[in-house]
């Protein structure tokens, strides 16, 4: 038995290391715009050359057309596009939103500004939705993904290991998530000032994000045992975290990594947190539904697992009594 365990450790550790390196390093090494939503505003005759230059980056941008600068600004604030190139009487103007992604804002400045500079044209850049001065690179927001995932895993594991079941487990999971939400908003919004939206919406985002993970951990553990803790932790940490696009944008990750990341709690929570913090809740519906489904299915699994165990315990004595009476 000890030999088998030794071999298992020798084989398993390198496999986990390889998985971690692949999950974290591969998307980072392949970061590039892929159908990144970008607006072009102004009369067709004035924007034709700009659009031609953008299309030279094959597959990089998904072009959206707008009549004027006001329409382009609205699209950015609604999170329809990450930025826009506007044809004005003074020359081309680039609208960005560093709050949506500082990495994308910088990328757009390079993609639009460099060709224009080479032709002797200066492009004026306007940050329509700027990142907060206390977190201009968005580092604090992207760093929140891992702590939320860890908090959820720990909460779900503790509920399981302490033997909490049924509605008692559900209550513990919901209340712990609520506490995570309040503490998270107090730190990120009230103390650090890296979030600038509605305090309660941000607290709700932190809470729902934590609950989505903790409920999944406890729910799968209730159905399949302690192995469920490791399974959910593996998915959330080794796939959800690096696939979230929190440090850049989902459209900068290789296909289909960006899409998969938005189906997992870390990616959905990062997108939702940006929406409620900087964009008045624009495009929040998708990530809210994703996190809600994870939480609802996890809590449902907790109740189901408890019911199945109760039925098993209830039928076993009856079966034993029948065998005894027959004997």
């Amino acid at each position: 038995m000890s030999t088998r365990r030794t071999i298992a450790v020798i084989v398993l550790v390198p496999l986990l290391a390889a998985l971690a390196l692949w999950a974290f390093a591969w998307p980072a090494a392949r970061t590039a715009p892929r159908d990144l939503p970008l607006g072009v505003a102004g009369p067709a005759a004035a924007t034709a050359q700009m659009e031609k230059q953008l299309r030279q980056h094959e597959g990089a941008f998904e072009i959206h057309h707008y009549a004027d600068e006001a329409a382009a600004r609205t699209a950015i604030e609604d999170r329809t596009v990450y930025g826009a190139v506007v044809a004005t009487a003074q020359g081309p103007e680039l609208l960005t939103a560093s709050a949506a992604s500082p990495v994308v804002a910088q990328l757009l400045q390079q993609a639009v500004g460099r060709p224009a500079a080479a032709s002797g044209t200066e492009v004026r850049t306007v940050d329509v939705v700027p990142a907060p001065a206390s977190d201009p690179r968005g580092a604090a927001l992207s760093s929140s993904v891992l702590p939320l995932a860890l908090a959820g895993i720990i909460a779900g594991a503790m509920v399981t290991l302490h033997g909490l079941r049924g509605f008692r487990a559900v209550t513990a999971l919901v209340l712990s998530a609520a506490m995570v939400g309040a503490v998270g908003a107090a730190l990120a919004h009230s103390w650090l000032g890296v979030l600038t939206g509605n305090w309660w919406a941000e607290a709700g985002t932190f809470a729902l994000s934590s609950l989505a993970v903790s409920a999944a951990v406890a729910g799968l553990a209730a159905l399949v045992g302690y192995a469920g803790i490791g399974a959910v932790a593996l998915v959330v940490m080794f796939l959800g975290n690096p696939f979230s696009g929190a440090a850049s944008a989902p459209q900068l990750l290789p296909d289909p990594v960006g899409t998969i990341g938005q189906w997992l709690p870390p990616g959905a929570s990062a997108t939702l947190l940006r929406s409620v913090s900087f964009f008045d809740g624009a495009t929040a519906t998708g990530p809210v539904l994703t996190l809600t489904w994870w939480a609802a299915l996890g809590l449902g699994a907790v109740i189901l697992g408890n019911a199945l165990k109760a039925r098993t315990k209830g039928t076993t004595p009856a079966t034993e009594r029948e065998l005894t009476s027959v004997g």
Side-chain angles (χ1 to χ4, degrees):
M1 181 65 71
S2 60
T3 303
R4 291 182 179 178
R5 290 177 179 176
T6 302
I7 294 174
V9 170
I10 293 174
V11 174
L12 185 60
V13 170
L15 285 176
L16 289 175
L19 176 61
L21 287 172
W22 167 79
F24 284 85
W26 173 57
R30 297 291 185 268
T31 298
R34 296 170 176 84
D35 292 325
L36 186 75
L38 178 65
V40 173
T47 60
Q49 184 61 31
M50 295 187 301
E51 187 171 342
K52 182 179 179 181
Q53 291 178 350
L54 292 172
R55 293 194 183 280
Q56 290 178 357
H57 303 275
E58 188 174 354
F61 301 109
E62 179 186 276
I63 305 299
H64 296 243
H65 296 89
Y66 300 100
D68 51 29
E69 180 178 345
R73 284 176 174 267
T74 300
I76 293 173
E77 292 168 351
D78 291 341
R79 302 203 72 184
T80 303
V81 294
Y82 279 90
V85 186
V86 183
T88 68
Q90 294 75 30
E93 179 181 76
L94 174 63
L95 305 180
T96 64
S98 59
S101 172
V103 174
V104 171
Q106 184 178 8
L107 183 151
L108 292 178
Q109 291 177 30
Q110 295 174 351
V112 176
R114 285 181 178 178
S119 63
T121 304
E122 182 178 356
V123 178
R124 187 169 72 96
T125 301
V126 179
D127 199 345
V128 177
V129 187
S134 54
D135 187 28
R137 297 181 180 179
L141 188 145
S142 60
S143 298
S144 68
V145 172
L146 181 59
L148 285 175
L150 286 174
I153 292 171
I154 292 171
M158 289 183 65
V159 164
T160 301
L161 296 175
H162 281 78
L164 299 180
R165 297 177 182 176
F167 289 101
R168 184 173 296 180
V170 169
T171 301
L173 291 169
V174 171
L175 291 180
S176 67
M179 290 299 297
V180 169
V183 171
L187 291 175
H189 184 114
S190 304
W191 180 41
L192 297 176
V194 297
L195 302 181
T196 59
N198 180 275
W199 193 95
W200 291 104
E202 293 163 359
T205 298
F206 282 123
L208 183 58
S209 302
S210 177
L211 182 61
V213 177
S214 64
V217 170
L220 191 57
L223 294 177
V224 304
Y226 292 152
I229 299 175
V232 176
L234 192 68
V235 170
V236 171
M237 296 301 296
F238 287 93
L239 295 181
N241 193 43
F243 290 8
S244 67
S248 54
Q251 292 84 356
L252 297 187
L253 300 178
D255 292 330
V257 167
T259 301
I260 294 173
Q262 295 304 298
W263 294 342
L264 300 175
S269 64
T271 300
L272 180 58
L273 193 57
R274 287 190 188 279
S275 293
V276 301
S277 299
F278 310 124
F279 293 90
D280 294 327
T283 67
T285 303
V288 165
L289 290 176
T290 298
L291 294 172
T292 300
W293 272 111
W294 274 83
L297 290 174
L299 295 177
V302 170
I303 300 298
L304 177 61
N306 181 63
L308 292 175
K309 289 179 181 179
R311 175 180 293 183
T312 301
K313 289 183 178 181
T315 56
T316 300
T319 304
E320 292 176 352
R321 285 195 299 270
E322 291 175 2
L323 291 174
T324 302
S325 62
V326 171

